């Protein structure tokens, strides 16, 4: 383990202005806070943050990052708080430590509940400062290096799987190939112990039997380039066991069939020399077509730059050769970290966001594919990532609310949601969620989706589900009413009506089944006669056809008119039998019958009022009502149920206004007389769904 003075010296070696006292304080703080905690290796726990800080010094990172590395587990695993860290080490370090702590939440989740792709995005979105991500990657690398101390094989495999799926790709994403390779190798050893043993064994064999081959080829490359006047550094290595394994798996071949086991790297002084060297290599040895890549003129999105080619040595051996400048090499191996460290030298106070760095790189390239990569990054800016209490991670559009969240988890959870706890606090369902929020949905079996939710949800899934649920609820309400009416109709029949008879009746009426039949009755789409006729064909023979009694003017007789004179009921006041009525003569239209308190009469019609009254057997007229319904799902269905339950057909229904609280409807009802209409108004007023009901 690095000693305190060694760590401080390392930092001072590349940053003479570093705050030595603060580094010392941070070292002592982590030793004190972790106290007697132990690692699986038996080492004191604080050896871990110290080693992570050591890894960060290898990247020549600034003092704040080193301090963050030292403190990275204190908030998560000890009694230290972010506030205390801020007081002792400043706001920047506190923010960075907090960032690393948040990323650590993820490690607490169980494996099956997270998607690797989601997690990588989450880590990127959360790592607003590249330094947070760098500390996290170094943390993981050190944990992988000490993984063999963990006794449980399951745990070792789980951590390795996570490293392979999440952290190694992330390291690659920010160009830290050294970290990526080491993580992959350590994870590979745990996940595929046999494959690992075979490959490392075969590589050791090659090394001993063909001993100097790598060196010999490196030397001949160097000589060829020297003859062309190029001053270069050549190194050769065997390919990484994990990349050999991957090739074997991808190409379904054995170790023996893998030809390019060795790879060489040529480091030049200038970019020009790189291209010159490539020319020499291609004229000295045979190149393999299709394997040449120019990442200097077109860098990868993470900033990687190099020339790649494959050559054939001594007739059969295929070797990969990479040519690049020394400077590119450093940037390549430590990616954005190196890039960032260079920038820091220019701008000592620069808190350069890694994203901006990435955008700069992307701006400098013209490759469509890389721009696409960049666009994907931009997409993360429109997303938020939130957790379930069990640690499942969900990706949602920005502006999403607990209702969106609930529907994203499961449509049932959305349907029964009545409230939400965000990070443990009760919050309204319309609250917009933030990155990293833990959201707990409070359910009630009696709850149902509210129409008002449509005003704030942002996901299509929630929107569609709410609409569907509201419609279904209305249908269900109508079906309940329909079934009541049906039972009354069925009770008039001498024999019991079974399920089969109901199905057949529905079929005769052209309806899908029992549920549809009940819904049609409830919505007054079919009347008693039709239902009876469908249940027992011929049973309504001799009874008047429904139209005969339901027509508004058909059964109306008015006393007080000269026989033969045409009349009609006025549409301003819709008089119904039972109302006191008067008549007005209208040229060419006969007599218009008004209710006596009709407003249009009061406004002074210049005509004689005829004193009229309803005939004895008068029945059927249209009454007009204004109904104010509470603005929530199901109220209209309830009103419709009242009309149907009172045997009043709806002739027309119009929504004339709507606001947050109420929907206003004007409805024309076919009723038999005033008493009938009055009963309906009373029933409406008694209903919870109705705020007001009146004749107009
Ligand atoms: Mn750690």
């Amino acid at each position: 383990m690095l000693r305190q003075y060694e760590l401080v010296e390392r930092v001072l070696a590349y940053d003479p202005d570093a705050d030595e006292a603060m580094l010392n304080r941070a070292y002592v703080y982590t030793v004190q806070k972790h106290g007697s905690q132990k690692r699986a290796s038996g080492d004191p726990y604080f050896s871990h943050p110290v080693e992570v800080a050591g890894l960060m010094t290898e990247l020549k990172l600034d003092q704040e990052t080193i301090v963050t590395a030292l403190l990275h587990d204190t908030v998560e695993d000890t009694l230290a708080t972010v506030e205390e860290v801020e007081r002792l080490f400043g706001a920047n370090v506190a923010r960075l430590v907090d960032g690393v702590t948040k990323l650590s939440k993820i490690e607490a989740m169980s494996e099956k509940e997270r998607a690797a792709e989601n997690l990588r995005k989450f880590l990127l979105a959360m790592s607003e400062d590249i330094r947070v991500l760098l500390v996290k990657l170094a943390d993981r690398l050190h944990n992988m290096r000490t993984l063999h101390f963990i006794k449980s094989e399951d745990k070792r495999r789980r951590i390795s799987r996570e490293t392979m799926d999440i952290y190694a790709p992330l390291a690659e994403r920010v160009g830290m190939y050294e970290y990526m390779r080491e993580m992959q190798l350590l994870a590979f050893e745990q996940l595929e112990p046999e494959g690992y043993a075979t490959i490392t064994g075969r590589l050791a064999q090659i090394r001993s039997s063909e001993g100097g081959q790598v060196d010999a080829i490196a030397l001949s490359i160097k000589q060829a380039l020297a003859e062309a006047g190029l001053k270069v550094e050549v190194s050769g290595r065997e390919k990484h066991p994990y990349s050999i394994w991957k090739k074997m798996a991808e190409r379904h071949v054995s170790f023996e069939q893998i030809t390019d086991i060795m790879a060489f790297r040529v480091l030049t002084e200038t970019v020009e020399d790189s291209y010159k060297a490539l020319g020499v290599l291609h004229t000295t040895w045979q190149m393999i077509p299709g394997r040449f890549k120019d990442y200097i003129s077109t860098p990868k999105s993470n900033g990687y730059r190099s020339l790649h080619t494959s050559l054939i040595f001594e007739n059969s051996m295929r070797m990969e050769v990479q040519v690049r400048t020394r400077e590119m090499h450093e940037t390549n191996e430590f990616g954005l970290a190196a890039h960032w460290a260079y920038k820091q030298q220019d701008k000592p106070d620069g808190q350069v966001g890694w994203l901006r760095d990435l955008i700069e790189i992307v701006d400098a390239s013209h490759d469509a594919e890389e721009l696409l990569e960049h666009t994907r990054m931009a997409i993360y800016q429109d997303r938020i990532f939130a957790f379930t209490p069990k640690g499942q991670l969900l990706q949602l559009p920005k502006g999403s609310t607990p209702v969106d969240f609930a529907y994203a988890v499961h449509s049932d959870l959305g349907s029964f949601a009545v409230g939400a706890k965000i990070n443990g606090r009760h919050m309204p369902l319309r609250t917009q969620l933030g990155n990293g929020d833990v959201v707990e949905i409070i359910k009630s079996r009696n709850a149902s989706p509210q129409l008002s939710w449509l005003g704030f949800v942002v996901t299509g899934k929630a929107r569609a589900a709410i609409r569907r649920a509201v419609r279904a609820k209305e249908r269900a309400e109508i079906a309940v009413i329909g079934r009541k009416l049906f039972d009354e109709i069925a009770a008039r029949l001498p024999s019991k009506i079974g399920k089969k008879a109901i199905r057949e009746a529905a079929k005769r009426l052209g309806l899908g089944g029992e549920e549809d039949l009940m819904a049609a009755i409830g919505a007054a789409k079919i009347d008693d006669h039709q239902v009876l006729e469908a249940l027992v064909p011929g049973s309504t023979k001799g009874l008047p056809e429904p139209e005969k009694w339901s027509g508004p003017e058909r059964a109306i007789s008015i006393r007080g008119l000269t026989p033969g004179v045409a009349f009609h009921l006025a549409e301003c006041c819709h008089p119904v039998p039972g109302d006191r009525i008067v008549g007005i003569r209208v040229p060419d239209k006969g007599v218009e019958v008004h209710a006596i308190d009709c407003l249009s009469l009061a406004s002074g019609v210049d005509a004689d009022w005829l004193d009229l009254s309803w005939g004895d057997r008068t029945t059927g007229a249209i009454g007009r009502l204004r109904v104010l319904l509470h603005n929530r799902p199901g109220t209209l269905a309830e009103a419709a149920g009242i009309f149907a339950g009172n045997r009043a057909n709806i002739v027309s229904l119009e929504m004339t206004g709507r606001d947050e609280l109420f929907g206003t409807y004007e409805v024309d009802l076919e009723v038999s007389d005033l008493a009938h209409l009055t009963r309906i108004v009373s029933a409406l007023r008694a209903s919870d769904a109705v705020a007001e009901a009146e004749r107009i």
Side-chain angles (χ1 to χ4, degrees), residues 269-497:
E269 298 295 322
T270 64
V271 175
E272 205 188 340
D273 283 358
S274 289
Y275 285 103
K276 270 188 200 154
L278 183 76
V280 174
L281 294 176
H282 280 181
T283 49
T284 311
W285 290 279
Q286 194 190 331
M287 75 171 283
I288 300 166
R291 299 292 299 273
F292 171 65
K293 298 252 167 57
D294 182 351
Y295 294 120
I296 290 182
S297 65
T298 313
K300 290 188 186 181
S301 61
N302 59 23
Y304 179 90
R305 292 198 297 163
S306 185
L307 301 171
H308 287 190
T309 190
S310 289
L311 304 173
I312 299 175
F313 289 90
E314 292 168 11
N315 301 324
S316 64
M317 281 189 291
R318 295 149 59 110
M319 310 285 163
E320 188 182 278
V321 183
Q322 302 174 348
V323 186
R324 58 182 78 155
T325 68
R326 205 177 303 278
E327 193 199 325
M328 283 175 202
H329 180 60
E330 266 196 57
T331 312
N332 288 348
E333 291 310 288
F334 293 111
L336 283 172
H339 186 75
W340 185 83
Y342 288 139
K343 289 200 118 161
Q344 283 304 99
Q345 287 167 8
D346 308 337
K347 296 184 249 171
D349 63 328
Q351 300 299 329
V352 184
W354 70 280
L355 203 71
R356 208 186 312 159
D357 284 356
L358 200 67
I359 288 165
E360 272 174 34
I361 292 160
V362 171
D363 279 350
S365 74
H366 305 283
D367 189 11
E369 202 181 304
E370 279 164 33
L371 285 174
L372 186 72
E373 274 292 303
H374 164 59
T375 315
R376 279 196 208 119
M377 301 305 264
I379 285 170
Y380 304 150
Q381 303 301 301
D382 303 334
R383 314 246 116 199
I384 57 127
F385 297 82
F387 297 94
T388 66
K390 281 187 188 162
Q392 190 191 347
L393 180 69
L394 284 136
Q395 191 195 148
L396 295 161
K398 227 173 208 165
S400 286
T401 62
V403 174
D404 293 294
F405 181 91
Y407 277 109
V409 174
H410 195 279
S411 49
D412 268 1
L413 191 60
S415 301
F416 297 121
V418 288
K421 274 188 189 175
I422 301 175
N423 302 323
R425 290 180 52 208
H426 280 281
M427 298 295 277
L429 283 174
R430 58 168 61 231
T431 310
Q432 295 198 350
L433 299 175
N435 247 335
D437 279 348
V438 178
V439 184
E440 184 187 343
I441 300 298
I442 299 155
K443 294 196 295 185
S444 161
R445 280 286 144 193
N446 300 319
S448 59
Q450 301 298 302
L451 203 56
S452 61
W453 292 355
L454 290 174
F456 58 76
V457 296
V458 299
T459 53
K461 191 175 179 189
R463 194 171 292 281
I466 294 164
R467 290 219 174 97
R468 223 175 13 250
V470 167
R471 274 201 301 272
K473 188 158 178 258
E474 280 174 355
R475 259 203 315 277
E477 286 176 353
I478 288 173
V480 168
I481 292 160
R483 189 166 292 279
K484 271 189 207 144
L485 294 176
F486 175 84
D487 289 346
E488 283 178 30
I489 295 165
R492 294 186 220 157
L493 293 168
S495 60
K496 237 178 157 263
I497 303 294

Side-chain angles (χ1 to χ4, degrees), residues 132-345:
V132 170
L133 192 58
L134 295 179
V135 172
K136 191 66 214 169
L137 289 172
D139 173 42
R140 177 50 61 121
L141 181 60
H142 184 251
N143 284 337
M144 287 304 292
R145 283 180 181 176
T146 52
L147 188 64
H148 58 277
F149 289 115
I150 290 175
K151 287 202 182 70
S152 154
E153 192 193 326
D154 273 1
K155 191 171 174 193
R156 287 200 309 267
R157 289 179 61 87
R158 180 179 62 72
I159 294 171
S160 297
R161 185 81 264 158
E162 190 177 71
T163 301
M164 200 62 113
D165 291 347
I166 293 156
Y167 292 95
L170 264 179
E172 183 182 23
R173 189 64 176 266
V174 294
M176 298 184 67
Y177 292 101
E178 280 295 321
Y179 276 32
M180 175 195 80
R181 278 194 288 267
E182 194 179 340
M183 284 180 186
Q184 283 174 340
L185 185 63
L186 292 164
F188 172 47
E189 187 180 353
Q190 296 295 333
L191 295 170
E192 303 287 348
E194 283 173 25
Y196 177 85
T198 308
I199 291 172
T200 49
R202 290 289 290 117
L203 286 174
Q205 238 175 353
I206 289 175
R207 226 171 288 139
S208 60
S209 61
E210 300 164 37
Q213 204 167 39
V214 171
D215 291 344
I217 293 171
L219 192 64
S220 60
I221 291 174
K222 193 167 175 155
Q223 276 168 351
L225 295 174
E227 277 165 32
L230 291 165
K231 197 172 152 255
V232 295
E233 202 180 293
V234 180
S235 59
R237 58 179 174 93
E238 288 140 4
K239 279 250 168 111
H240 195 256
Y242 176 67
S243 63
I244 293 172
W245 170 259
K246 231 169 74 178
K247 249 176 213 168
M248 286 166 63
E250 277 164 13
R251 300 184 197 161
H252 307 289
V253 293
S254 69
F255 183 89
E256 281 66 30
Q257 290 168 284
I258 299 272
T259 46
D260 40 0
I261 296 292
M262 283 181 267
F264 296 88
R265 185 171 294 146
V266 177
L267 299 184
T268 65
E269 298 295 322
T270 64
V271 175
E272 205 188 340
D273 283 358
S274 289
Y275 285 103
K276 270 188 200 154
L278 183 76
V280 174
L281 294 176
H282 280 181
T283 49
T284 311
W285 290 279
Q286 194 190 331
M287 75 171 283
I288 300 166
R291 299 292 299 273
F292 171 65
K293 298 252 167 57
D294 182 351
Y295 294 120
I296 290 182
S297 65
T298 313
K300 290 188 186 181
S301 61
N302 59 23
Y304 179 90
R305 292 198 297 163
S306 185
L307 301 171
H308 287 190
T309 190
S310 289
L311 304 173
I312 299 175
F313 289 90
E314 292 168 11
N315 301 324
S316 64
M317 281 189 291
R318 295 149 59 110
M319 310 285 163
E320 188 182 278
V321 183
Q322 302 174 348
V323 186
R324 58 182 78 155
T325 68
R326 205 177 303 278
E327 193 199 325
M328 283 175 202
H329 180 60
E330 266 196 57
T331 312
N332 288 348
E333 291 310 288
F334 293 111
L336 283 172
H339 186 75
W340 185 83
Y342 288 139
K343 289 200 118 161
Q344 283 304 99
Q345 287 167 8

Side-chain angles (χ1 to χ4, degrees), residues 39 45 48-49 52 72-73 77 104 107 136 139-140 143:
R39 299 273 290 171
Y45 191 92
H48 163 67
V52 173
H72 83 267
D73 279 331
D77 295 338
S104 303
E107 274 156 24
K136 191 66 214 169
D139 173 42
R140 177 50 61 121
N143 284 337

